Amino acid sequence: MEQYEPDRLSPAQVAAMRRSFRNGRAALTRRSLLRASAGGALVAGGLGALTGCGIPAAGKTAGGVSADDHSAKEKTVNFSNWTEYMDVDESEKHHPTLDAFTKRTGIKVKYTEDINDNVEFFGKIKPQLAAGQDTGRDIIVLTDWLAGRLIRLGWVQKLDASNLPHAFANLAEQFRTPDWDPGRAYSYPWQGISTVIAYNKKALDGVEVKSVSDMLDNPKLKGRVGFLSEMRDSIGMTLLDMGKDPANFTDDDYDAAVARLQKAVDKGQIRRFSGNDYTADLTSGDFAACIAWAGDVVQLKADSPDIDFIIPDSGYITSSDNMLIPNKARHKTNAERLMDYYYEPEPAAELAAYINYVCPVDGVKPYLAKIDKSAADNPLIIPDAAMAAKSHAFRLLSQKEETAYEGKFAKLTGA
């Protein structure tokens, strides 16, 4: 039996944490940006979530720990999600897709927007999970690195495939086999997150940018290039540009990517590493080109004709926010039915039309086109086959690797 041992943070990881919450995705709200998706993006207030002692050891068992399923008698499901990550009506009091689910099934959804960042939420639920207690939640939504951690600890339940026929059939290929949950035995994506190259046409003034190499090497862009303060995004995109696979790289590969970026820093090519505040630099033209999060680009493009994006031939980094069922949840079957519901094309399209993230559901495009044709035609929301084929996930890191890698990245960025 594997005992739970709190992860210890190195000084470099603490720096990454503070960097992310000072100006990264975790510092801002859902509609205008993405939240922190990297393991190093930890909130100061959540340090205890990963380092605190005094929590009873939790044994890891295959498939997590179930409780008596009260789904048949208790027609309810408790769903915890990120803020502004669900469709709402004009009154902002009702969620149309959830209402439709309740009308069809009779299952009432207690929907709570109580996740503001991964580690802070982990701090809320860790004591109950570690003690083998019910968290009061049937579905939680976590970014892939933390979802993988809970699976590894045995703190979430294995899903019953018989309750998830639409999810099994309609899950997009690019999300099917993450290294932290091969075959999606414990999780299904809520939405996908893509990292791309964004640019300001006016600021480029005819300079062509098609790759990370163009950003790093073209002297006409000196001092007008931006990279992200999230390690997985910036290093991942650089690894791809160097012909390396972010899902299968060595320490030497990582060091070479850092050296590549360090060279650009030393010669003044990179203006700075930033969190979501890059959007202001991109809009103003201080950044002619930058590494960006697709959710932001969708919004920026709607507001400015000068903003656009490219997917490099080398590919792009993708991650996901994922639905999981914690141990001891009272309504596992009801939770699985709700998870499966969002893999039906109609509700998936309604959700995608509202929140504008990467939809993980195959076959949704014609349904989305009936609601919003521009969204259906946007590859940042519905990736076409060519774009999906270019997606790459950053591999799961060991604690030792994370400590070393974050230290080197912190030195690079001056954090």
Side-chain angles (χ1 to χ4, degrees):
M1 181 178 290
E2 179 179 312
Q3 298 295 309
Y4 169 60
E5 296 181 1
D7 294 331
R8 301 294 178 182
L9 297 184
S10 67
Q13 288 173 294
V14 173
M17 165 199 73
R18 290 172 177 158
R19 182 172 67 246
S20 179
F21 273 80
R22 183 169 60 246
N23 61 9
R25 282 179 280 185
L28 297 142
T29 59
R30 168 58 69 173
R31 278 295 284 176
S32 63
L33 60 125
L34 309 176
R35 312 106 32 251
S37 64
L42 312 176
V43 60
L47 278 172
L50 296 182
T51 61
C53 299
I55 300 298
K60 179 177 179 179
T61 58
V65 181
S66 63
D68 292 338
D69 193 347
H70 299 268
S71 292
K73 293 182 179 179
E74 299 177 5
K75 293 291 186 178
T76 188
V77 60
N78 298 308
F79 186 177
S80 282
N81 204 349
W82 297 78
T83 58
E84 300 189 59
Y85 215 12
M86 179 67 76
D87 57 307
V88 297
D89 65 5
E90 292 184 0
S91 72
E92 297 189 356
K93 295 180 180 180
H94 300 283
H95 303 289
T97 56
L98 290 177
D99 291 346
F101 174 78
T102 298
K103 184 176 180 180
R104 181 202 296 182
T105 64
I107 299 171
K108 294 182 179 180
V109 182
K110 182 182 178 183
Y111 183 73
T112 307
E113 294 182 337
D114 60 345
I115 306 178
N116 293 306
D117 69 85
N118 285 290
V119 175
E120 181 184 47
F121 184 72
F122 182 54
K124 291 179 183 179
I125 63 175
K126 185 184 74 171
Q128 294 101 316
L129 290 174
Q133 299 171 353
D134 180 15
T135 66
R137 299 166 174 89
D138 301 305
I139 298 177
I140 55 178
V141 178
L142 300 175
T143 307
D144 44 19
W145 66 269
L146 185 54
R149 175 176 292 168
L150 264 64
I151 292 169
R152 187 173 68 246
L153 290 170
W155 286 358
V156 294
Q157 298 186 52
K158 192 169 185 177
L159 301 174
D160 184 345
S162 67
N163 292 327
L164 294 154
H166 296 97
F168 180 80
N170 296 335
L171 176 61
E173 184 64 32
Q174 73 183 92
F175 296 106
R176 283 189 175 268
T177 56
D179 60 357
W180 50 269
D181 186 16
R184 291 289 181 179
Y186 297 89
S187 68
Y188 270 94
W190 176 248
Q191 297 290 290
I193 303 167
S194 299
T195 303
V196 300
I197 295 176
Y199 59 89
N200 184 312
K201 298 174 188 176
K202 185 176 181 180
L204 282 178
D205 193 26
V207 176
E208 188 173 65
V209 173
K210 291 186 175 181
S211 67
V212 170
S213 286
D214 289 339
M215 295 171 62
L216 295 177
D217 298 334
N218 191 327
K220 294 181 179 179
L221 297 178
K222 182 176 180 178
R224 299 192 295 136
V225 167
F227 276 72
L228 291 168
S229 56
E230 299 293 347
M231 180 267 286
R232 285 164 175 79
D233 296 301
S234 288
I235 295 294
M237 292 293 282
T238 305
L239 284 168
L240 285 169
D241 187 71
M242 297 170 64
K244 302 297 182 179
D245 183 357
N248 184 27
F249 63 89
T250 66
D251 288 347
D252 288 343
D253 294 333
Y254 185 90
D255 290 345
V258 170
R260 179 97 168 89
L261 292 173
Q262 185 66 61
K263 181 179 178 181
V265 170
D266 293 343
K267 67 181 182 181
Q269 188 78 4
I270 296 176
R271 184 181 184 92
R272 66 188 183 101
F273 292 83
S274 61
N276 194 72
D277 50 341
Y278 77 84
T279 57
D281 287 332
L282 183 62
T283 302
S284 70
D286 287 341
F287 284 163
C290 63
I291 303 299
W293 295 310
D296 291 342
V297 177
V298 172
Q299 299 299 321
L300 293 175
K301 277 174 60 67
D303 295 334
S304 172
D306 291 327
I307 305 303
D308 213 333
F309 75 98
I310 62 104
I311 302 295
D313 288 341
S314 59
Y316 67 99
I317 295 295
T318 188
S319 57
S320 57
D321 288 329
N322 309 276
M323 298 179 283
L324 305 103
I325 300 176
N327 284 354
K328 297 290 185 176
R330 287 178 61 88
H331 313 107
K332 182 172 184 285
T333 298
N334 290 345
E336 289 166 339
R337 291 182 68 182
L338 182 58
M339 292 167 68
D340 193 62
Y341 166 75
Y342 279 105
Y343 276 81
E344 296 179 25
E346 294 92 336
E350 290 184 53
L351 183 66
Y354 183 79
I355 61 177
N356 294 159
Y357 284 77
V358 179
C359 181
V361 182
D362 268 347
V364 77
K365 184 171 182 176
Y367 297 89
L368 181 56
K370 295 177 182 179
I371 303 170
D372 184 342
K373 190 175 186 306
S374 64
D377 292 337
N378 190 334
L380 297 183
I381 299 173
I382 307 294
D384 56 24
M387 182 170 174
K390 292 182 178 181
S391 69
H392 298 267
F394 198 98
R395 70 172 172 82
L396 190 65
L397 300 179
S398 68
Q399 183 66 19
K400 181 179 179 180
E401 287 175 326
E402 181 137 5
T403 298
Y405 292 174
E406 284 289 4
K408 293 172 182 179
F409 189 71
K411 183 177 180 181
L412 167 70
T413 62

